[in-house]
Amino acid sequence: MNLNRWLIMLLLSISTVSIFADETEEYRKALAKATGADRINILRKLYDLSLEFDDVDYQLLCINQIINECQKQGATEEESDARVQKIILFYSNDLNDSIYEQVPPTLEFLATIQNWKNYYETWTILVETFNFAGQTNTGLKEVNAMYEDAKKRDDRYGMGMAYYAMGNVYANMYNHEEAANSYQKSIDLLMNMEPKPLQLSDIFAYYVDVLELQHNYKKIKEVTKIWGEFIEGYYKVENNEAENRKAYYYLGCAQGALGLNELDRASEMLDEVKKRCTSEEGYLNQKWLYYRGELCKKQGFFEEALALNDRRMRLLEDT
C-alpha cells in the first residue's frame, strides 16, 4: 500500500471516529432529559454506537446501563433482549469465562419470564463456546440437555436450534454422518416455522460443507433448492445482508455443481459469488479463489488454477 493511500485511509478512519463520537455526545445529552421507553431506546442507540469502537469495557458499560434501566422500569422483555446481547458480546470477544459464569443466571431469568426464543439462543451460545474451545464432549452433553429441555416443552425452535448446535459439535468431532443428520433434522423443524428463523442461512451453509466432505453432491443439489426458496422468501428487500446471504447460497450451488461436473453451472454460480465479494482479503473471496481454482483444474486451465491458489495462499499468510 503506498503512503498516499495509507494517509487517506487514516484520515477517513479518524473522520469516522469523530462522527461517531459527536453522535454519542448528542445521545448522552438527550439521555439526561429522557424518561420511560425513550430512555431505554437512547441507551440502545448508545450501545450500537459503542460497537464502532474497539473498547469492550465501554461496550459492557453501555449494555449494563440498558439492563439496569430496564430493571428500574420493570421492562422485562427489553431486559431479556439486552441480557442476550451481553452474552453475544462476550462470545464475539472470546470472553469464555464470562459466558460460563453468566449464561446460567441468564437462562434462569429468561425461563422465569418464559422468553423461550432468547432462552434457546442463549443456550446455543453456551454450546458453541464449549465446542469451539475444544470441549466437544462437554458441548455434546450440554446440547443433548438443551434438546431434551426443548422437547419437554414441545418447543420447535428450541429443538431446531439444538440440532443445529449438535451438528456443529459433531462436525468439530469429524463425525460427518451425525453432523449431516443433525443439520437435516434442524432444517426439517425450522423450515416448518412461520416466520422462518434467519439461522437457517447458516445451517444450510454448514450442511452443504459437510455433504461436500461426504461427496454427496446429489444431496447438495436437493438442499440448495430448498435453501434458495428460503432466501427468496426471507429477503423481500435488497440490502447488504441479503447480498451476503445470497453469496453463500451461490457458493453452495457451486460446490454441488463442481462435484457433479456441471461446470457451466459452477462457473455461473461462482460469478454470482464474485459479484458479492466486498474485499479481496475477506473470507468469501478466499472461498471464491479456492473453488474457482478447482473449476479451472477441471477445465484443464492448470496455470490459471495455480495462479488463483497462489493468490489465496498469500491472503492466508497475511491474515
Side-chain angles (χ1 to χ4, degrees):
M1 183 184 297
N2 64 46
L3 182 59
N4 285 340
R5 186 179 176 191
W6 181 84
L7 285 170
I8 290 169
M9 290 181 68
L10 177 61
L11 289 169
L12 285 172
S13 176
I14 292 170
S15 176
T16 301
V17 170
S18 177
I19 290 168
F20 286 130
D22 290 344
E23 199 171 351
T24 296
E25 183 61 27
E26 288 178 14
Y27 281 124
R28 285 287 175 197
K29 289 177 182 177
L31 184 64
K33 301 176 183 178
T35 58
D38 288 342
R39 189 170 177 81
I40 294 173
N41 288 333
I42 291 172
L43 286 170
R44 279 176 175 164
K45 288 174 181 175
L46 285 167
Y47 174 67
D48 290 341
L49 284 169
S50 78
L51 299 176
E52 302 296 336
F53 301 94
D54 188 19
D55 188 342
V56 177
D57 290 337
Y58 176 59
Q59 292 161 3
L60 280 171
L61 172 67
C62 290
I63 199 71
N64 283 331
Q65 286 178 330
I66 299 173
I67 293 170
N68 291 337
E69 185 61 35
C70 289
Q71 289 173 343
K72 287 179 186 176
Q73 296 189 29
T76 54
E77 287 303 315
E78 290 81 357
E79 182 184 347
S80 74
D81 290 340
R83 282 174 174 257
V84 176
Q85 282 297 319
K86 187 175 180 179
I87 300 298
I88 291 170
L89 180 64
F90 291 146
Y91 185 74
S92 300
N93 289 279
D94 297 321
L95 298 173
N96 291 1
D97 288 343
S98 296
I99 292 174
Y100 301 145
E101 177 187 337
Q102 297 208 21
V103 162
T106 300
L107 290 177
E108 185 178 344
F109 169 78
L110 294 170
T112 300
I113 66 169
Q114 298 189 339
N115 189 323
W116 302 117
K117 183 176 185 295
N118 280 345
Y119 177 83
Y120 290 114
E121 286 182 4
T122 300
W123 205 337
T124 299
I125 292 172
L126 178 61
V127 174
E128 297 287 24
T129 303
F130 283 127
N131 187 26
F132 293 111
Q135 301 178 57
T136 49
N137 288 329
T138 304
L140 191 58
K141 180 181 177 181
E142 196 69 42
V143 79
N144 279 316
M146 176 182 166
Y147 174 77
E148 290 301 324
D149 184 275
K151 184 180 178 183
K152 177 181 67 179
R153 301 183 204 282
D154 194 26
D155 191 297
R156 184 181 296 273
Y157 181 73
M159 289 188 286
M161 290 298 290
Y163 275 128
Y164 167 35
M166 197 179 295
N168 290 343
V169 173
Y170 278 126
N172 223 23
M173 298 172 80
Y174 302 102
N175 188 336
H176 303 312
E177 183 177 353
E178 287 300 329
N181 289 339
S182 298
Y183 290 138
Q184 182 65 62
K185 289 175 182 176
S186 177
I187 289 168
D188 290 342
L189 284 161
L190 299 180
M191 280 295 288
N192 282 303
M193 292 186 66
E194 288 298 338
K196 294 176 176 57
L198 175 60
Q199 288 91 339
L200 276 162
S201 285
D202 295 325
I203 300 166
F204 280 119
Y206 288 130
Y207 189 17
V208 165
D209 283 344
V210 168
L211 291 172
E212 184 182 28
L213 290 169
Q214 295 180 303
H215 307 292
N216 194 347
Y217 303 111
K218 288 184 178 178
K219 185 65 176 178
I220 290 178
K221 195 166 187 176
E222 292 175 20
V223 170
T224 50
K225 184 177 185 297
I226 303 168
W227 188 359
E229 291 168 359
F230 165 73
I231 290 285
E232 186 177 345
Y234 192 93
Y235 292 104
K236 302 296 186 182
V237 178
E238 296 293 329
N239 55 38
N240 289 339
E241 181 187 332
E243 290 305 302
N244 184 59
R245 296 289 184 177
K246 286 179 182 178
Y248 283 96
Y249 158 69
Y250 287 124
L251 186 67
C253 292
Q255 289 170 263
L258 277 168
L260 294 170
N261 284 313
E262 297 172 354
L263 303 189
D264 288 343
R265 176 166 171 75
S267 181
E268 180 186 346
M269 295 297 98
L270 288 171
D271 286 345
E272 293 296 330
V273 174
K274 186 60 177 174
K275 288 178 190 175
R276 293 164 175 82
C277 290
T278 56
S279 72
E280 177 74 13
E281 298 81 11
Y283 176 76
L284 183 61
N285 191 60
Q286 291 182 30
K287 296 287 281 185
W288 176 84
L289 287 168
Y290 172 77
Y291 286 107
R292 177 59 74 177
E294 291 299 297
L295 175 62
C296 286
K297 283 195 288 186
K298 283 179 174 285
Q299 293 171 322
F301 303 139
F302 299 111
E303 288 188 10
E304 187 176 344
L306 185 60
L308 288 163
N309 186 61
D310 287 345
R311 279 172 60 190
R312 187 173 65 88
M313 295 309 296
R314 283 196 299 270
L315 290 173
L316 288 172
E317 289 170 2
D318 292 340
T319 56

